[in-house]
Amino acid sequence: MSDQPLTGPPRAAVIAAVVLVGLLAAGVVIASRFLPSDTAAPAPTTAATPKTGPVGLVPVDAPDSGSTHCAAVLKALPASLVSAGTTLSKLPLADPAPQGAVAWGDRIAPPVVLRCGLPKPAELTPTSALREVSGVKWLPIVGTGSSTWFVVDRPVHIALTLPEGVGTGPLQTVSEVVGATLPAQPVKP
């Protein structure tokens, strides 16, 4: 054996190396938690896929949908409605298309749907809170994701279904058409 002392890295360098390796390992673990891996599902996009084809509407009881009153309203309705600055064009309906129905939309969001000739809504009572828009009385029924407004002071009942987020433009336009097309009558709860 030799009398020479063993030589090696200084003790401080060994401690620094061990600390750096520990920090590097911790950094890899933390980064693996926050960075996407190659097998992760792609992040959803914010742009919605446009819908194609005609709008399918389920049939509903609309005994007066073929009336001259409904025919007059449908004829007077515009080809497009403005909703919160967006133009909603009239959309084709899938066959068999319900009589007395019209839909407008942008092919991305759910459409605005009008149905004419419906029976009196069951929610219409003597104490119902009605709203008047351009001289037309409406009964609003709020649902999940949409609201349906019923015209209750004209010879036929009309329902206008507005998806959540639609502005007041469609309601205003339809009120003006109904007010100019059909005579007012007392509300019969």
Side-chain angles (χ1 to χ4, degrees):
M1 288 230 157
S2 152
D3 291 344
Q4 301 231 347
L6 293 171
T7 61
R11 182 174 180 174
V14 170
I15 292 173
V18 169
V19 169
L20 286 174
V21 168
L23 289 175
L24 180 61
V28 169
V29 170
I30 291 171
S32 70
R33 300 281 182 185
F34 295 106
L35 295 176
S37 68
D38 291 344
T39 60
T45 61
T46 57
T49 304
K51 298 172 186 118
T52 60
V55 175
L57 296 179
V58 296
V60 298
D61 184 28
D64 295 327
S65 61
S67 70
T68 57
H69 296 297
C70 284
V73 169
L74 294 175
K75 183 178 178 184
L77 290 170
S80 63
L81 299 173
V82 176
S83 169
T86 301
T87 299
L88 305 176
S89 300
K90 206 177 265 189
L91 299 171
L93 300 180
D95 287 329
Q99 188 172 17
V102 179
W104 296 268
D106 62 3
R107 295 269 184 202
I108 295 174
V112 171
V113 176
L114 179 137
R115 292 181 185 258
C116 186
L118 302 173
K120 180 183 85 162
E123 296 84 354
L124 181 60
T125 67
T127 59
S128 294
L130 303 179
R131 306 255 178 97
E132 190 169 321
V133 180
S134 295
V136 176
K137 292 185 180 167
W138 295 86
L139 172 65
I141 309 292
V142 177
T144 303
S146 67
S147 61
T148 300
W149 293 65
F150 291 90
V151 172
V152 294
D153 68 340
R154 305 295 152 150
V156 289
H157 291 102
I158 299 169
L160 183 66
T161 301
L162 304 170
E164 194 171 83
V166 170
T168 59
L171 182 62
Q172 181 69 42
T173 301
V174 171
S175 292
E176 291 166 2
V177 169
V178 169
T181 307
L182 300 177
Q185 65 181 35
V187 177
K188 296 176 187 173

